Amino acid sequence: KSLGNGIDPHEVANRLGAEIIRLWIASTDYSGELAISEEILKRVTESYRRIRNTLRFLLANLSDFDFAQHAVPAGAWLEIDRYAVALADELQKDILSHYDKYEFHPVVAKLQTFCSEDLGGFYLDVLKDRLYTSAANSVARRSAQTALYHIAQGLLRVMAPFLSFTAEEAWKVFQPGSETIFTETYYVYPKIPAAETLLSKWSLLRAVRGNVTKALEEARVADRIGSSLQAEVTIRATGAAYDALASLGDDLKFVLITSGATLVKVDAESEEGVDVIASTYLKCERCWHYRADVGAHAEHPTLCGRCFSNLFGDGEKRSAA
């Protein structure tokens, strides 16, 4: 039978796959009239693509990670990793409360937001530098992978009821010794100390980061910088915002995805703001950061000091991000 608007469910299933129909049904509020159109299916397909791409990133960056061998204890995680796991735990609690009431459309909406904004738009974006440039077996990189492992465990289980094929396909890559995800129960995340305080702090940090991102985009449009890594920023802040930013220390630039970040304390909110300038230093060909110590080692003239250390030395020290 037609789904409405002349749309044939068999044709949709053949063209887009059963997962898209399943996701459309789950994302629709069944207490009212179910609407479908090519435009709605297009949006559902895009939502599916964002969720699937998030899973691909998680699985790709866990390909050399053995939890039994490489997992870092929660007490040794970097702060942003603790935040991400605490956020995933909060998401799961929220999702399970909706499942208990058979409310599926908020589950889809919140999972999509988590994948596109909390992960793709923030955490995973910040994480790329540490995953790709830190020493392979460093605590910094293994901390990130441990957090990704826990997040993947939780995400696959909460999406399995409505993205069954995708969750099963990913689960067999993620846990190759397991027969099926459908014999699993929902995940128990590690307990994060002072999780509420951590969530509040990083919510504030992300708000400030949003202001920095806006200033970086304005500088890019004005042709004052190319990518954000070409920029050095100065943030003028006060109160709780200053304290939160200051607690990141040298890792602030990694959260902002810039080559340099300077924090200045001001007396009033009216004095707060962000200044952006283009870095005058050379670009490291490995990490793409613009740094004063690019070429400091004659045998590797295109590398910066931290990349040289990560490749041939003790590795850089990271505490927050």
Side-chain angles (χ1 to χ4, degrees):
K1 295 182 179 179
S2 171
L3 293 172
N5 295 340
I7 295 176
D8 185 336
H10 300 290
E11 187 274 331
V12 172
N14 289 333
R15 177 164 52 93
L16 300 177
E19 289 287 74
I20 300 302
I21 293 181
R22 204 190 315 268
L23 184 58
W24 163 66
I25 293 171
S27 63
T28 305
D29 184 358
Y30 61 78
S31 64
E33 183 176 337
L34 273 67
I36 189 170
S37 67
E38 288 296 340
E39 182 59 33
I40 289 173
L41 289 174
K42 182 179 179 181
R43 291 199 297 268
V44 172
T45 302
E46 183 58 34
S47 297
Y48 173 75
R49 187 175 292 113
R50 282 196 290 268
I51 294 171
R52 187 177 177 87
N53 285 344
T54 300
L55 292 179
R56 290 178 64 186
F57 184 95
L58 295 176
L59 296 179
N61 283 282
L62 290 169
S63 61
D64 68 334
F65 180 78
D66 180 346
F67 185 80
Q69 181 180 353
H70 300 131
V72 176
W77 293 354
L78 273 66
E79 187 174 305
I80 196 173
D81 299 332
R82 297 199 302 273
Y83 163 72
V85 171
L87 196 62
D89 190 16
E90 287 294 302
L91 172 74
Q92 179 172 275
K93 291 174 183 175
D94 197 10
I95 283 177
L96 295 185
S97 71
H98 287 296
Y99 273 149
D100 287 341
K101 295 178 283 188
Y102 298 95
E103 296 173 343
F104 304 113
H105 62 285
V107 171
V108 176
K110 290 174 181 180
L111 181 66
Q112 178 186 323
T113 298
F114 182 73
C115 288
S116 61
E117 297 181 12
D118 296 314
L119 292 182
F122 177 65
Y123 180 59
L124 301 184
D125 205 23
V126 173
L127 213 56
K128 289 174 184 176
D129 180 86
R130 188 155 34 111
L131 288 170
Y132 301 160
T133 70
S134 296
N137 287 310
S138 63
V139 172
R141 185 168 180 270
R142 294 306 189 189
S143 170
Q145 290 181 304
T146 305
L148 293 182
Y149 176 89
H150 290 298
I151 292 169
Q153 284 277 8
L155 283 186
L156 288 172
R157 295 163 194 246
V158 297
M159 71 173 61
F162 60 90
L163 286 177
S164 306
F165 296 155
T166 302
E168 182 77 337
E169 177 188 5
W171 184 258
K172 289 180 178 179
V173 175
F174 181 52
Q175 299 286 298
S178 176
E179 183 178 351
T180 177
I181 193 173
F182 296 105
T183 58
E184 303 292 326
T185 56
Y186 292 116
Y187 194 54
V188 178
Y189 282 95
K191 184 174 178 59
I192 304 299
E196 290 298 326
T197 301
L198 195 64
L199 290 168
S200 178
K201 173 186 174 179
W202 279 88
S203 177
L204 178 57
L205 286 169
R206 288 177 64 179
V208 176
R209 184 178 184 268
N211 294 333
V212 173
T213 300
K214 180 180 178 181
L216 290 170
E217 179 61 17
E218 291 171 352
R220 189 193 64 79
V221 171
D223 289 327
R224 291 190 284 118
I225 61 170
S227 70
S228 67
L229 282 176
Q230 193 180 356
E232 296 178 3
V233 300
T234 299
I235 304 175
R236 303 184 303 279
T238 187
Y242 175 86
D243 294 338
L245 292 165
S247 72
L248 300 181
D250 290 339
D251 286 0
L252 175 58
K253 63 179 177 291
F254 297 121
V255 174
L256 303 177
I257 314 181
T258 59
S259 285
T262 302
L263 182 61
V264 176
K265 189 172 187 177
V266 296
D267 296 325
E269 290 185 7
S270 60
E271 301 175 53
E272 292 184 322
V274 179
D275 299 318
V276 178
I277 62 170
S279 177
T280 58
Y281 299 126
L282 294 176
K283 178 182 178 180
C284 173
E285 72 170 5
R286 181 171 181 270
C287 69
W288 295 7
H289 282 244
Y290 292 72
R291 292 172 56 95
D293 57 1
V294 172
H297 299 273
E299 63 273 36
H300 296 283
T302 59
L303 296 184
C304 66
R306 76 185 189 99
C307 280
F308 183 88
S309 177
N310 286 334
L311 287 171
F312 309 109
D314 296 332
E316 64 179 327
K317 305 301 180 185
R318 307 274 283 260
S319 61

